Structures are given as C-alpha cells and as structure tokens.
Amino acid sequence: MPVTPPSAPSVPAPRHPAHAVDRAFLSMERRHPDVRWDAGGVAYLSGPPPSLADLRTYLGLRLPHLPLLTSRVEGGSRRPRWRPDADFAVDRQVHEVVADGPEDWDAALNLALNAPFAPGAYWGVWLIHGHAADEYAVCYRFHHACQDGAAAAMTFRALLGEGEPSARPVPNQGRPAPLPRRVGTVLGLTAKFVAGSLVVRGARPAIPFEPTGERRLWRGRVPADTLRRIGAARGGSAHDVHLAALAGALPVWSECSGVPLPRVTALVPIDARRPDEEQTWGNRCFAVPLELPLGTGPGRADASEDGDAPLRRLDRVMARTRKLRGEAWRQAIQDMVRFMPNRPTEWYMRSMFSPRVTDVMATSMPLADKGSLGDTQVTGTALLPLLVPGHLFAVGLSFFGGWAEVSFVADRALPLGELLPELWEEAVGALAQTTPA
C-alpha cells in the first residue's frame, strides 16, 4: 500500500487542561474500573488490505495532525492536563486481527470490538482482514475521556477522509445575545435538565438478560437523502427522522423479543463546541434525555392500521427537539459546557448515564463524503457509541457518502438484537411512504 506523506504542517502539541467533561469520564472510570468507557467506529474498505507494518507507518505519518492521540493525562485527579507522551509508540496502538476465511469474519470483528487497550493507552486501531481477498475493515476505538463523537469524526477525516469540514450544527457567529439574557437562559436550562433527570429517575425494569460483557455490532443503511427529505418535509432534521424510526422499530422488536418496554428514554449527545473551538481535542459534549414516543399499537412498523402513526411519531420527536435546534438553546448549552464546574458536571453526567434515567444511547454524526486508505476506498461505516451497563443498547447513525448507516451496539445476550437494523429500515420506509416525494 503506498503511503502518502501529510500535505499540511504538523499541529503543535499544546498542554491542555482536562475539560470538566474529560474529568468526569476519568472519574467514572476510577469509580467503575470494570466498565468499558470507550466508543469508536468501523470503516469498511474495498481492495487488498495493507500489511500491519504499512498501516502503522501510514497512521504514524498522520498523527502529527492529531496531537491528542500522542498525549496522555498527567497531574492526578486534582489538576489533570493533557501533555505529550514521551513514551508514545504507534506499534502499541495499532493491531491486527486475521479471520480464518469468510465464516470467521464475525468472530474477527467481535475480537476487535472487545479487545482491551494496551496498558496506558487511550485509543487503539485494529486492522481486520482474511475473510475476503479484496475487503477489509479498520476499527478505531477511543476512551471517551479522550474524545467525543465530533472529535472522533475529525479523526476519521484526518486519517481516512478527504479533509472535508465538519457538518456539525453550531450557533451563528453573529452578534451574541446580551449577557444577562444568556445567563438567564443557562440557569433556566440547567434547572430544566436537572429537574427532568429527577422526574424520570426511579425504579425501571431491570434488563431482562444477564450481560456477558461482550459487545456485538449490527448494521443497516438507507439513502441519506431519504432521511433528509422526510425531515425537511416536516420542518425537522435527518436526526429527528432517525429517532422517530427508532421509536417505530422498538415496539415491534419488543413484541418479537419478549423484552417489555413500558417507556424508553434515549440519551442524545450534543456537540457544544464554539465555532472557533479546536475540534480535535477532548470532550465538549452535553447529553440530553429524550423520551421516545413508542406508542402502544402492536404489529410491524410498516403494517400499522393507522397510516398516519409514523408521521405523528415524527411530529412528537420534533416537538421535543425543536428547542435544541434553536440558536438560544444551542448557545446556552455551549455556555453550560464551557463554564459549568467539575463536580456539577460529573454529577449530571452520572445521572444521565444511569439506567434509572435513560435506556439507550442514541447519536448521529456526519463523517465525510468519501474516504480512502492508500489505493483502497471506504465503502461503509459504523459508529460504535458508548454502551453503558444497564442500557439496552447504543445506536449510532453515521452519514458517509450518499448513505445514512445505522449501527446497533449491544451485549451479545440481548435477545434478537440482530433484528433492530432491519426494523429501523422498515420504520424509515413507513415514514417515506407517508411523505410526499
């Protein structure tokens, strides 16, 4: 595989203080060392795979653009800072999993999904191949104290993409609202989210299976324009359509699997970086709980007797996300993440991740228009959202090229988890049928 040198100068490696969200993740890891606090993604490529040595060389030449990946946290729990890691070695971070033929592909992928990081490492890359002569995959996983989804998408574009800017929504860079109004919005929003977490906190049904600690990945995809068309027709976003389709799929899955779902609250991460803020560094995310409108009707999502039910479900999702899309709330969330002290930040995050408050993690992220590694091309992607113990699953939606690709990550003991992508696709189809072309 030919290795192309970087086309831009290296990014200097500053000494960043760990953000309050970074510190919260590090604290949760210390409190629960048995939990995997990592997320990531998988890129699927067509063409002959590189050798492990070539992949290490390739990534090593690009790491100067991403100084966080060659840094480590120092300073203990009181004043942690990200500093360059003098002992960094790319060989400790990049690994290989070789499948024993086509029938061993799932086992090889699962090994990459569940492999531990090297001691002291915050991230790892696994080259997965051997199942076909002209196909392979690259799995990238990172500790969530190191990056959030927006920073990980930037990493994808730096390592495999074509350098496209992020499509993440940010407030306008125009004249900000007066400070007293912003402070008032922040205080009101803080009270709302805290009160919301206390209201939904309570005895929820325990997950109806014994977790094994081993993660599985299931994928589906629909044309990205389909989601955008449905969302635009109702004044919403593709992410709204994603959540509405998830709400439509879950009652069907519940009926098939026998897993009762009296209600489901999704934890939705929001990128809270300012327009001028460095996108490659650490966490600037804020998690908001959103109850999904499951409804009560049995049967498949596309065979409901009430043909308007999918659109009503979408309208209910949009009613709950409309303020989050507005300039005032986005500015307030940015202010909260920027100025909220460490202890309240950690308390809030622990509350939001608790299975007494939320049931699933649900995120979406624009990745790139195209991607490559040497002469091989990226043909598909899958997000690996954070899977929290006690949650049913985590679901991610990645936008790559012309596709919206859904991925469900769950413990392998989850009953009929493999049905979820197909049911989500069917729910998107039901929404498309009721939306004018």
Side-chain angles (χ1 to χ4, degrees):
M1 179 193 72
V3 176
T4 304
S7 58
S10 299
V11 178
R15 290 166 170 79
H16 277 271
H19 189 270
V21 183
D22 303 345
R23 294 169 66 129
F25 275 112
L26 291 168
S27 176
M28 289 190 289
E29 180 186 34
R30 288 191 295 268
R31 287 171 174 262
H32 304 283
D34 55 327
V35 174
R36 296 176 178 228
W37 296 101
D38 63 274
V42 180
Y44 300 83
L45 297 100
S46 64
S51 68
L52 179 60
D54 280 347
L55 180 61
R56 286 171 170 170
T57 300
Y58 179 92
L59 295 180
L61 289 174
R62 277 156 172 73
L63 286 177
H65 297 275
L66 300 165
L68 177 67
L69 298 188
T70 55
S71 301
R72 62 183 302 159
V73 174
E74 297 178 354
S77 60
R78 294 182 62 85
R79 301 186 66 182
R81 301 180 70 86
W82 292 99
R83 299 180 184 273
D85 183 359
D87 299 323
F88 176 83
V90 71
D91 289 6
R92 291 194 312 121
Q93 318 284 137
V94 185
H95 316 279
E96 182 179 33
V97 181
V98 182
D100 186 15
E103 68 282 353
D104 195 43
W105 164 248
D106 286 340
L109 177 61
N110 293 333
L111 182 59
L113 295 181
N114 293 284
F117 293 149
Y122 291 94
W123 62 275
V125 167
W126 284 263
L127 170 65
I128 314 164
H129 65 98
H131 62 293
D134 58 353
E135 294 179 6
Y136 69 101
V138 174
C139 175
Y140 169 61
R141 290 171 36 222
F142 56 90
H143 192 296
H144 221 306
C146 175
Q147 289 186 318
D148 57 24
M154 181 68 181
T155 299
F156 177 94
R157 287 187 289 275
L159 298 180
L160 297 177
E162 304 293 328
E164 303 100 326
S166 171
R168 62 193 178 99
V170 295
N172 291 330
Q173 299 186 50
R175 188 173 183 177
L179 185 59
R181 185 187 304 171
R182 287 171 61 181
V183 171
T185 305
V186 167
L187 293 176
L189 203 57
T190 302
K192 176 182 177 63
F193 289 142
V194 170
S197 71
L198 295 176
V199 168
V200 299
R201 180 185 294 273
R204 291 207 173 198
I207 54 175
F209 58 89
E210 186 65 29
T212 66
E214 187 176 343
R215 292 175 288 193
R216 289 288 188 270
L217 167 66
W218 300 287
R219 302 169 60 210
R221 58 166 31 177
V222 298
D225 285 345
T226 299
L227 295 189
R228 296 183 181 119
R229 175 178 63 83
I230 297 169
R234 308 295 288 188
S237 68
H239 184 64
D240 292 331
V241 180
H242 164 53
L243 293 176
L246 181 62
L250 284 177
V252 185
W253 173 79
S254 174
E255 186 177 3
C256 295
S257 65
V259 176
L261 294 179
R263 72 172 187 261
V264 173
T265 302
L267 189 61
V268 180
I270 296 174
D271 180 11
R273 283 174 176 78
R274 302 186 305 277
D276 60 341
E277 193 165 14
E278 173 59 61
Q279 197 178 337
T280 64
W281 208 273
N283 281 269
R284 299 294 186 275
C285 61
F286 188 83
V288 178
L290 187 147
E291 186 171 351
L292 298 177
L294 301 185
T296 58
R300 301 184 71 80
D302 60 349
S304 171
E305 293 182 0
D306 183 355
D308 292 332
L311 288 180
R312 286 204 304 272
R313 192 178 293 115
L314 175 58
D315 289 341
R316 290 173 64 188
V317 167
M318 289 168 46
R320 297 170 186 179
T321 63
R322 186 170 291 112
K323 286 189 176 181
L324 294 176
R325 297 194 301 270
E327 295 292 328
W329 273 39
R330 283 201 169 271
Q331 181 65 67
I333 288 173
Q334 285 189 346
D335 291 338
M336 289 173 65
V337 171
R338 184 178 183 184
F339 297 113
M340 195 156 66
N342 295 322
R343 288 187 178 180
T345 299
E346 182 181 344
W347 177 89
Y348 179 81
M349 290 182 62
R350 289 204 320 266
S351 298
M352 291 299 100
F353 284 122
S354 169
R356 293 179 296 171
V357 174
T358 55
D359 303 280
V360 301
M361 173 76 75
T363 187
S364 66
M365 186 58 55
L367 289 182
D369 291 332
K370 56 184 177 179
S372 62
L373 201 164
D375 294 330
T376 62
Q377 301 298 313
V378 179
T379 60
T381 58
L383 298 186
L384 304 175
L386 181 65
L387 180 62
V388 179
H391 283 193
L392 285 169
F393 55 81
V395 56
L397 186 71
S398 56
F399 292 90
F400 177 78
W403 293 100
E405 311 212 33
V406 71
S407 56
F408 289 85
V409 178
D411 191 278
R412 68 176 175 85
L414 180 72
L416 299 181
E418 66 275 12
L419 294 182
L420 288 166
E422 179 183 354
L423 295 176
W424 180 88
E425 290 175 351
E426 291 178 358
V428 172
L431 283 163
Q433 289 176 5
T434 56
T435 303

